Amino acid sequence: MPKIGNSNFVNQKINENNIYIKKKFGQNFLVDQNVLSEIINKSEITKEDLVIEIGPGLGSLTERLCISAGFVLAYEIDSDLIPILKDNLKEFDNYLIINKDILDVDINKDINEYKKNYKNIYLVANLPYYITTPIILGLLSKTKEIKRYVMMMQEEVADRICGKPKTKDYNALSLAIQYRATSQKLFKVSRNVFIPSPNVDSAVIRLDLYDEEPYKAIDEELYFEFIRLAFSQRRKTLINNLSNKYEKQFILKMLNNFNIKENIRAEELDLKTFVDFTNYIKENYNE
Ligand code: SAM
């Protein structure tokens, strides 16, 4: 029976160990066994899988991962939590806690060291919300080894990551992530199931990495730069945003080439069109 993810257990540990909860590390501990079960179900992990966790905290999710996965590699920045975490997980031997900032980790090196006996590599985490975007974009750009990501984050960010064209949530982040993976919002999580409770609601999303991206930018760096430029000021037309870098004549020619109206806004265009634009620029633009 999992024991960590409930409010009595977490409160007791906080009191016993005099834990000072660090807001600057986004520490909100999940204390709901149903939410934890749902995260595990949707992750579809088995004993054949290596799971990476970011921010194990007091171990509510780590405990569940140790039960379901072959091995768990968990990165925790807060060294004060580590002895308590290890004590909470003392009945397991299929995990390793690495006391590092996830943003500084050489993830491929660690994966190579631990992947040998495992079939798939997945990431399952209740993320520190203050660095959700750099974590995801960083990992997606650094490694193709992690095939599935199931992550809890602030609901607003979840909506952006899963945003579709012509909706208010669709932006450069949607396009950056959907370039590499399918994205799916799984379910909403109330702020009331955390200690302490954050001042935003949360959601769990799932990303499944493409083996081969369906639309491929010849120059990926240019694609990532281009989507940021295209959405730099949301209320402006695409031409206005792009003219910070490209001559208007060139942009008009490009829009014309793809039969797209001149007053289009970035949020009306799908991923394929953004990739087409980037490839057009790569082939036709001379700086
Ligand atoms: N997984 C636990 C749970 O669900 O109860 C804790 C989740 S809490 C939202 C985020 C965790 O990430 C905290 O334990 C925090 O210390 C850790 N953290 C914050 N910044 C980090 C970083 N840069 N690298 C690794 N861990 C980090």
Side-chain angles (χ1 to χ4, degrees), residues 4-5 10 22 24-31 36 39 53-62 74-78 81 98-105 125-131 135 152 194-195:
I4 304 174
V10 166
K22 300 184 181 87
K24 66 168 180 180
F25 288 151
Q27 289 176 352
N28 301 96
F29 303 116
L30 179 57
V31 289
L36 285 159
I39 294 175
E53 187 190 1
I54 297 162
L58 293 174
S60 61
L61 183 57
T62 327
Y75 297 91
E76 174 55 63
I77 197 170
D78 186 356
L81 292 182
I98 301 180
N99 183 201
K100 274 192 189 158
D101 180 339
I102 185 64
L103 299 177
D104 295 339
V105 161
N126 172 15
L127 294 175
Y129 293 2
Y130 72 107
I131 43 169
I135 289 177
M152 174 133 67
F194 300 89
I195 295 177

Side-chain angles (χ1 to χ4, degrees), residues 276-287:
D276 285 345
F277 281 170
T278 316
N279 290 343
Y280 179 91
I281 292 171
K282 186 73 187 165
E283 280 163 356
N284 296 284
Y285 188 73
N286 304 310
E287 281 180 67

Side-chain angles (χ1 to χ4, degrees), residues 52-69:
I52 294 169
E53 187 190 1
I54 297 162
L58 293 174
S60 61
L61 183 57
T62 327
E63 176 183 44
R64 296 301 199 101
L65 294 172
C66 287
I67 295 168
S68 302

Side-chain angles (χ1 to χ4, degrees), residues 130-145:
Y130 72 107
I131 43 169
T132 299
T133 308
I135 289 177
I136 305 175
L137 292 181
L139 289 173
L140 286 174
S141 74
K142 281 190 217 159
T143 181
K144 295 205 165 190
E145 297 261 24

